[in-house]
Every structure is written in C-alpha cells, then in structure tokens.
mmCIF file of all heavy atoms in Angstrom:
data_model
loop_
_atom_site.group_PDB
_atom_site.id
_atom_site.type_symbol
_atom_site.label_atom_id
_atom_site.label_comp_id
_atom_site.label_asym_id
_atom_site.label_seq_id
_atom_site.Cartn_x
_atom_site.Cartn_y
_atom_site.Cartn_z
ATOM 1 N N PRO Y 251 77.061 83.237 132.019
ATOM 2 C CA PRO Y 251 76.028 82.743 132.812
ATOM 3 C C PRO Y 251 75.937 81.316 132.574
ATOM 4 O O PRO Y 251 75.348 80.573 133.583
ATOM 5 C CB PRO Y 251 74.807 83.407 132.437
ATOM 6 C CG PRO Y 251 75.271 84.842 132.056
ATOM 7 C CD PRO Y 251 76.557 84.528 131.285
ATOM 8 N N ALA Y 252 76.246 80.753 131.440
ATOM 9 C CA ALA Y 252 76.153 79.426 131.277
ATOM 10 C C ALA Y 252 77.268 78.433 131.728
ATOM 11 O O ALA Y 252 77.285 77.349 131.722
ATOM 12 C CB ALA Y 252 76.053 79.040 129.729
ATOM 13 N N GLY Y 253 78.318 79.252 132.357
ATOM 14 C CA GLY Y 253 79.486 78.506 132.900
ATOM 15 C C GLY Y 253 80.700 78.428 131.886
ATOM 16 O O GLY Y 253 81.733 77.962 132.289
ATOM 17 N N ASN Y 254 80.402 78.705 130.667
ATOM 18 C CA ASN Y 254 81.468 78.723 129.669
ATOM 19 C C ASN Y 254 82.453 80.054 129.853
ATOM 20 O O ASN Y 254 81.922 80.960 130.487
ATOM 21 C CB ASN Y 254 81.026 78.546 128.257
ATOM 22 C CG ASN Y 254 80.025 79.635 127.903
ATOM 23 O OD1 ASN Y 254 79.232 80.166 128.653
ATOM 24 N ND2 ASN Y 254 80.104 80.254 126.652
ATOM 25 N N PHE Y 255 83.508 79.921 129.287
ATOM 26 C CA PHE Y 255 84.370 81.207 129.408
ATOM 27 C C PHE Y 255 85.400 81.355 128.256
ATOM 28 O O PHE Y 255 85.636 80.473 127.470
ATOM 29 C CB PHE Y 255 85.153 80.946 130.823
ATOM 30 C CG PHE Y 255 86.019 79.762 130.949
ATOM 31 C CD1 PHE Y 255 87.265 79.589 130.415
ATOM 32 C CD2 PHE Y 255 85.352 78.657 131.684
ATOM 33 C CE1 PHE Y 255 87.985 78.442 130.582
ATOM 34 C CE2 PHE Y 255 86.137 77.483 131.821
ATOM 35 C CZ PHE Y 255 87.429 77.380 131.243
ATOM 36 N N ILE Y 256 85.921 82.566 128.351
ATOM 37 C CA ILE Y 256 86.903 82.976 127.357
ATOM 38 C C ILE Y 256 88.142 83.391 128.156
ATOM 39 O O ILE Y 256 88.001 83.816 129.323
ATOM 40 C CB ILE Y 256 86.444 84.082 126.251
ATOM 41 C CG1 ILE Y 256 86.098 85.359 126.965
ATOM 42 C CG2 ILE Y 256 85.390 83.575 125.454
ATOM 43 C CD1 ILE Y 256 85.822 86.562 126.078
ATOM 44 N N GLU Y 257 89.299 83.468 127.509
ATOM 45 C CA GLU Y 257 90.495 83.931 128.120
ATOM 46 C C GLU Y 257 91.035 85.196 127.469
ATOM 47 O O GLU Y 257 91.030 85.421 126.248
ATOM 48 C CB GLU Y 257 91.579 82.734 128.063
ATOM 49 C CG GLU Y 257 92.861 83.108 128.838
ATOM 50 C CD GLU Y 257 93.821 81.904 129.004
ATOM 51 O OE1 GLU Y 257 93.431 80.885 128.421
ATOM 52 O OE2 GLU Y 257 94.856 82.162 129.610
ATOM 53 N N CYS Y 258 91.669 86.011 128.268
ATOM 54 C CA CYS Y 258 92.289 87.272 127.867
ATOM 55 C C CYS Y 258 93.502 86.814 127.047
ATOM 56 O O CYS Y 258 94.201 85.920 127.235
ATOM 57 C CB CYS Y 258 92.783 88.125 129.077
ATOM 58 S SG CYS Y 258 93.406 89.667 128.721
ATOM 59 N N THR Y 259 93.832 87.661 126.019
ATOM 60 C CA THR Y 259 95.061 87.406 125.140
ATOM 61 C C THR Y 259 95.910 88.569 125.087
ATOM 62 O O THR Y 259 95.511 89.734 125.453
ATOM 63 C CB THR Y 259 94.582 87.068 123.718
ATOM 64 O OG1 THR Y 259 94.013 88.364 123.079
ATOM 65 C CG2 THR Y 259 93.535 85.983 123.700
ATOM 66 N N ILE Y 260 97.064 88.475 124.515
ATOM 67 C CA ILE Y 260 98.065 89.632 124.382
ATOM 68 C C ILE Y 260 97.499 90.591 123.448
ATOM 69 O O ILE Y 260 97.727 91.747 123.531
ATOM 70 C CB ILE Y 260 99.447 88.995 123.830
ATOM 71 C CG1 ILE Y 260 100.077 88.161 124.936
ATOM 72 C CG2 ILE Y 260 100.313 90.135 123.382
ATOM 73 C CD1 ILE Y 260 101.403 87.587 124.352
ATOM 74 N N ASP Y 261 96.785 90.090 122.381
ATOM 75 C CA ASP Y 261 96.194 91.156 121.452
ATOM 76 C C ASP Y 261 95.249 91.955 122.079
ATOM 77 O O ASP Y 261 95.079 93.225 121.721
ATOM 78 C CB ASP Y 261 95.487 90.358 120.277
ATOM 79 C CG ASP Y 261 96.534 89.563 119.452
ATOM 80 O OD1 ASP Y 261 97.618 90.115 119.341
ATOM 81 O OD2 ASP Y 261 96.049 88.478 118.981
ATOM 82 N N THR Y 262 94.343 91.509 123.047
ATOM 83 C CA THR Y 262 93.249 92.362 123.689
ATOM 84 C C THR Y 262 93.572 91.998 125.096
ATOM 85 O O THR Y 262 92.918 91.093 125.620
ATOM 86 C CB THR Y 262 91.944 92.059 123.189
ATOM 87 O OG1 THR Y 262 91.809 92.161 121.819
ATOM 88 C CG2 THR Y 262 90.904 92.946 123.981
ATOM 89 N N PRO Y 263 94.405 92.763 125.888
ATOM 90 C CA PRO Y 263 94.853 92.444 127.205
ATOM 91 C C PRO Y 263 93.856 92.827 128.300
ATOM 92 O O PRO Y 263 94.234 93.093 129.480
ATOM 93 C CB PRO Y 263 96.154 93.163 127.379
ATOM 94 C CG PRO Y 263 96.005 94.357 126.512
ATOM 95 C CD PRO Y 263 95.174 93.960 125.317
ATOM 96 N N TYR Y 264 92.600 92.995 128.104
ATOM 97 C CA TYR Y 264 91.635 93.286 129.197
ATOM 98 C C TYR Y 264 90.284 92.634 128.837
ATOM 99 O O TYR Y 264 89.950 92.341 127.676
ATOM 100 C CB TYR Y 264 91.504 94.790 129.156
ATOM 101 C CG TYR Y 264 90.806 95.447 127.982
ATOM 102 C CD1 TYR Y 264 89.393 95.570 127.926
ATOM 103 C CD2 TYR Y 264 91.469 95.959 126.924
ATOM 104 C CE1 TYR Y 264 88.852 96.105 126.878
ATOM 105 C CE2 TYR Y 264 90.894 96.537 125.876
ATOM 106 C CZ TYR Y 264 89.497 96.605 125.785
ATOM 107 O OH TYR Y 264 88.949 97.102 124.684
ATOM 108 N N LEU Y 265 89.540 92.497 129.922
ATOM 109 C CA LEU Y 265 88.212 91.982 129.928
ATOM 110 C C LEU Y 265 87.329 92.875 130.790
ATOM 111 O O LEU Y 265 87.734 93.341 131.848
ATOM 112 C CB LEU Y 265 88.150 90.478 130.275
ATOM 113 C CG LEU Y 265 88.919 89.526 129.381
ATOM 114 C CD1 LEU Y 265 88.967 88.152 130.046
ATOM 115 C CD2 LEU Y 265 88.259 89.387 128.019
ATOM 116 N N GLN Y 266 85.973 93.003 130.464
ATOM 117 C CA GLN Y 266 85.075 93.714 131.157
ATOM 118 C C GLN Y 266 83.820 92.978 131.393
ATOM 119 O O GLN Y 266 83.333 92.274 130.490
ATOM 120 C CB GLN Y 266 84.819 95.041 130.447
ATOM 121 C CG GLN Y 266 85.882 95.951 130.150
ATOM 122 C CD GLN Y 266 85.475 97.082 129.145
ATOM 123 O OE1 GLN Y 266 85.394 96.702 127.901
ATOM 124 N NE2 GLN Y 266 85.280 98.315 129.613
ATOM 125 N N ILE Y 267 83.174 93.197 132.542
ATOM 126 C CA ILE Y 267 81.702 92.807 132.750
ATOM 127 C C ILE Y 267 80.861 93.946 133.344
ATOM 128 O O ILE Y 267 81.421 94.833 133.909
ATOM 129 C CB ILE Y 267 81.750 91.533 133.613
ATOM 130 C CG1 ILE Y 267 82.358 91.863 134.983
ATOM 131 C CG2 ILE Y 267 82.348 90.270 133.023
ATOM 132 C CD1 ILE Y 267 82.228 90.724 136.007
ATOM 133 N N GLY Y 268 79.572 93.788 133.234
ATOM 134 C CA GLY Y 268 78.759 94.791 133.711
ATOM 135 C C GLY Y 268 78.558 95.980 132.691
ATOM 136 O O GLY Y 268 78.436 95.660 131.452
ATOM 137 N N GLU Y 269 78.530 97.059 133.215
ATOM 138 C CA GLU Y 269 78.281 98.345 132.301
ATOM 139 C C GLU Y 269 79.638 98.664 131.688
ATOM 140 O O GLU Y 269 80.118 99.638 132.209
ATOM 141 C CB GLU Y 269 77.592 99.369 133.145
ATOM 142 C CG GLU Y 269 77.187 100.594 132.341
ATOM 143 C CD GLU Y 269 76.229 100.258 131.282
ATOM 144 O OE1 GLU Y 269 74.925 100.222 131.627
ATOM 145 O OE2 GLU Y 269 76.610 100.083 130.240
ATOM 146 N N HIS Y 270 79.903 97.928 130.655
ATOM 147 C CA HIS Y 270 81.312 98.205 130.145
ATOM 148 C C HIS Y 270 81.451 99.175 129.080
ATOM 149 O O HIS Y 270 82.572 99.678 128.639
ATOM 150 C CB HIS Y 270 81.801 96.837 129.636
ATOM 151 C CG HIS Y 270 80.920 96.266 128.502
ATOM 152 N ND1 HIS Y 270 79.935 95.441 128.742
ATOM 153 C CD2 HIS Y 270 81.041 96.476 127.138
ATOM 154 C CE1 HIS Y 270 79.374 95.046 127.599
ATOM 155 N NE2 HIS Y 270 80.059 95.679 126.635
ATOM 156 N N LYS Y 271 80.331 99.546 128.421
ATOM 157 C CA LYS Y 271 80.480 100.380 127.106
ATOM 158 C C LYS Y 271 81.057 101.745 127.325
ATOM 159 O O LYS Y 271 81.772 102.234 126.405
ATOM 160 C CB LYS Y 271 79.113 100.421 126.436
ATOM 161 C CG LYS Y 271 78.005 101.132 127.228
ATOM 162 C CD LYS Y 271 76.648 101.194 126.403
ATOM 163 C CE LYS Y 271 75.516 101.765 127.214
ATOM 164 N NZ LYS Y 271 75.100 100.834 128.238
ATOM 165 N N TYR Y 272 80.897 102.434 128.419
ATOM 166 C CA TYR Y 272 81.446 103.784 128.527
ATOM 167 C C TYR Y 272 82.902 103.707 128.856
ATOM 168 O O TYR Y 272 83.604 104.690 128.475
ATOM 169 C CB TYR Y 272 80.668 104.447 129.709
ATOM 170 C CG TYR Y 272 79.230 104.552 129.479
ATOM 171 C CD1 TYR Y 272 78.248 103.856 130.339
ATOM 172 C CD2 TYR Y 272 78.720 105.422 128.526
ATOM 173 C CE1 TYR Y 272 76.987 104.020 130.069
ATOM 174 C CE2 TYR Y 272 77.340 105.519 128.354
ATOM 175 C CZ TYR Y 272 76.447 104.725 129.120
ATOM 176 O OH TYR Y 272 75.128 104.903 128.919
ATOM 177 N N GLY Y 273 83.301 102.684 129.446
ATOM 178 C CA GLY Y 273 84.752 102.706 129.830
ATOM 179 C C GLY Y 273 85.666 101.958 128.689
ATOM 180 O O GLY Y 273 86.921 102.029 128.794
ATOM 181 N N LYS Y 274 85.036 101.279 127.776
ATOM 182 C CA LYS Y 274 85.769 100.563 126.843
ATOM 183 C C LYS Y 274 86.592 101.469 125.801
ATOM 184 O O LYS Y 274 87.759 101.025 125.473
ATOM 185 C CB LYS Y 274 84.839 99.670 125.989
ATOM 186 C CG LYS Y 274 85.505 98.698 125.059
ATOM 187 C CD LYS Y 274 84.472 97.799 124.389
ATOM 188 C CE LYS Y 274 85.163 96.673 123.564
ATOM 189 N NZ LYS Y 274 85.946 97.130 122.456
ATOM 190 N N PRO Y 275 86.071 102.567 125.336
ATOM 191 C CA PRO Y 275 86.975 103.404 124.463
ATOM 192 C C PRO Y 275 88.262 103.778 125.030
ATOM 193 O O PRO Y 275 89.253 103.861 124.287
ATOM 194 C CB PRO Y 275 86.021 104.601 124.162
ATOM 195 C CG PRO Y 275 84.714 104.062 124.355
ATOM 196 C CD PRO Y 275 84.727 103.163 125.474
ATOM 197 N N VAL Y 276 88.279 104.139 126.279
ATOM 198 C CA VAL Y 276 89.536 104.356 127.012
ATOM 199 C C VAL Y 276 90.577 103.320 126.831
ATOM 200 O O VAL Y 276 91.744 103.504 126.639
ATOM 201 C CB VAL Y 276 89.413 104.847 128.424
ATOM 202 C CG1 VAL Y 276 90.654 105.039 129.244
ATOM 203 C CG2 VAL Y 276 88.414 106.013 128.575
ATOM 204 N N LEU Y 277 90.100 102.036 127.281
ATOM 205 C CA LEU Y 277 90.996 100.872 127.130
ATOM 206 C C LEU Y 277 91.384 100.545 125.711
ATOM 207 O O LEU Y 277 92.600 100.274 125.470
ATOM 208 C CB LEU Y 277 90.170 99.695 127.743
ATOM 209 C CG LEU Y 277 89.915 99.862 129.248
ATOM 210 C CD1 LEU Y 277 88.977 98.616 129.706
ATOM 211 C CD2 LEU Y 277 91.043 99.959 130.062
ATOM 212 N N ASP Y 278 90.503 100.742 124.751
ATOM 213 C CA ASP Y 278 90.770 100.537 123.331
ATOM 214 C C ASP Y 278 91.914 101.321 122.877
ATOM 215 O O ASP Y 278 92.761 100.909 122.118
ATOM 216 C CB ASP Y 278 89.604 100.665 122.487
ATOM 217 C CG ASP Y 278 88.542 99.589 122.574
ATOM 218 O OD1 ASP Y 278 88.914 98.449 122.969
ATOM 219 O OD2 ASP Y 278 87.346 99.877 122.193
ATOM 220 N N ARG Y 279 91.970 102.560 123.262
ATOM 221 C CA ARG Y 279 92.897 103.518 122.791
ATOM 222 C C ARG Y 279 94.231 103.336 123.480
ATOM 223 O O ARG Y 279 95.292 103.735 122.948
ATOM 224 C CB ARG Y 279 92.345 105.073 122.857
ATOM 225 C CG ARG Y 279 91.254 105.252 121.905
ATOM 226 C CD ARG Y 279 90.761 106.699 122.174
ATOM 227 N NE ARG Y 279 89.700 107.092 121.162
ATOM 228 C CZ ARG Y 279 89.831 107.457 119.931
ATOM 229 N NH1 ARG Y 279 90.998 107.639 119.420
ATOM 230 N NH2 ARG Y 279 88.756 107.715 119.221
ATOM 231 N N ALA Y 280 94.242 103.149 124.855
ATOM 232 C CA ALA Y 280 95.425 103.210 125.568
ATOM 233 C C ALA Y 280 96.081 101.875 126.155
ATOM 234 O O ALA Y 280 97.292 101.976 126.493
ATOM 235 C CB ALA Y 280 95.066 104.162 126.960
ATOM 236 N N MET Y 281 95.339 100.901 126.072
ATOM 237 C CA MET Y 281 95.854 99.672 126.774
ATOM 238 C C MET Y 281 96.511 98.782 125.702
ATOM 239 O O MET Y 281 96.029 98.342 124.669
ATOM 240 C CB MET Y 281 94.736 98.930 127.366
ATOM 241 C CG MET Y 281 95.196 97.950 128.441
ATOM 242 S SD MET Y 281 96.108 98.622 129.746
ATOM 243 C CE MET Y 281 94.788 99.448 130.635
ATOM 244 N N HIS Y 282 97.699 98.218 126.117
ATOM 245 C CA HIS Y 282 98.325 97.186 125.319
ATOM 246 C C HIS Y 282 99.126 96.386 126.287
ATOM 247 O O HIS Y 282 99.461 96.722 127.359
ATOM 248 C CB HIS Y 282 99.183 97.690 124.161
ATOM 249 C CG HIS Y 282 100.205 98.745 124.596
ATOM 250 N ND1 HIS Y 282 101.487 98.256 124.996
ATOM 251 C CD2 HIS Y 282 100.190 100.176 124.633
ATOM 252 C CE1 HIS Y 282 102.223 99.479 125.370
ATOM 253 N NE2 HIS Y 282 101.447 100.536 125.082
ATOM 254 N N TYR Y 283 99.695 95.260 125.859
ATOM 255 C CA TYR Y 283 100.317 94.237 126.713
ATOM 256 C C TYR Y 283 101.609 94.831 127.351
ATOM 257 O O TYR Y 283 101.930 94.287 128.550
ATOM 258 C CB TYR Y 283 100.614 92.917 125.933
ATOM 259 C CG TYR Y 283 101.076 91.850 126.689
ATOM 260 C CD1 TYR Y 283 100.336 91.178 127.750
ATOM 261 C CD2 TYR Y 283 102.415 91.349 126.509
ATOM 262 C CE1 TYR Y 283 100.741 90.170 128.347
ATOM 263 C CE2 TYR Y 283 102.985 90.345 127.286
ATOM 264 C CZ TYR Y 283 102.177 89.781 128.184
ATOM 265 O OH TYR Y 283 102.584 88.602 128.916
ATOM 266 N N ASP Y 284 102.287 95.721 126.779
ATOM 267 C CA ASP Y 284 103.536 96.188 127.297
ATOM 268 C C ASP Y 284 103.406 97.338 128.224
ATOM 269 O O ASP Y 284 104.447 97.989 128.633
ATOM 270 C CB ASP Y 284 104.583 96.393 126.171
ATOM 271 C CG ASP Y 284 104.969 95.186 125.476
ATOM 272 O OD1 ASP Y 284 105.269 94.164 126.222
ATOM 273 O OD2 ASP Y 284 105.075 95.211 124.276
ATOM 274 N N VAL Y 285 102.192 97.809 128.479
ATOM 275 C CA VAL Y 285 101.911 98.956 129.449
ATOM 276 C C VAL Y 285 102.492 98.612 130.841
ATOM 277 O O VAL Y 285 102.265 97.455 131.264
ATOM 278 C CB VAL Y 285 100.538 99.302 129.470
ATOM 279 C CG1 VAL Y 285 100.209 100.272 130.620
ATOM 280 C CG2 VAL Y 285 100.003 99.971 128.287
ATOM 281 N N GLU Y 286 103.136 99.587 131.463
ATOM 282 C CA GLU Y 286 103.645 99.336 132.813
ATOM 283 C C GLU Y 286 102.506 99.081 133.727
ATOM 284 O O GLU Y 286 101.370 99.610 133.537
ATOM 285 C CB GLU Y 286 104.487 100.582 133.321
ATOM 286 C CG GLU Y 286 105.221 100.354 134.581
ATOM 287 C CD GLU Y 286 104.395 100.663 135.896
ATOM 288 O OE1 GLU Y 286 103.450 101.443 135.701
ATOM 289 O OE2 GLU Y 286 104.753 99.974 136.912
ATOM 290 N N LEU Y 287 102.634 98.261 134.806
ATOM 291 C CA LEU Y 287 101.578 97.797 135.632
ATOM 292 C C LEU Y 287 100.767 98.824 136.258
ATOM 293 O O LEU Y 287 99.552 98.817 136.228
ATOM 294 C CB LEU Y 287 102.189 96.835 136.709
ATOM 295 C CG LEU Y 287 101.109 96.108 137.518
ATOM 296 C CD1 LEU Y 287 100.331 95.135 136.632
ATOM 297 C CD2 LEU Y 287 101.901 95.173 138.508
#
C-alpha cells in the first residue's frame, strides 16, 4: 500500500496477496523453480 515492493526469487518462486494463509501450505510443499509450467 505504500508503493514499495519486493521481487519473487528462485528460492521462493511465488507471491500471494489477499487471503493467502489457507493456500500457502500447498505452495510451500509443492512449488519450486523447476516445476513444469
């Protein structure tokens, strides 16, 4: 909201906004940079 920002990295290849807490465990366990698109 202040206009500052962060960038996605290879180590954590996803970003979320809004009601993110319920969907985050799925991404934490399954997502990595070499996953097929």
Side-chain angles (χ1 to χ4, degrees):
N254 58 318
F255 53 85
I256 62 172
E257 184 172 2
C258 188
T259 68
I260 292 176
D261 295 325
T262 305
Y264 67 86
L265 295 169
Q266 303 165 282
I267 55 175
E269 187 57 86
H270 62 269
K271 57 182 176 291
Y272 301 111
K274 189 174 187 296
V276 174
L277 299 172
D278 284 341
R279 291 180 181 275
M281 197 63 70
H282 57 85
Y283 185 67
D284 291 317
V285 168
E286 191 274 332
L287 189 58

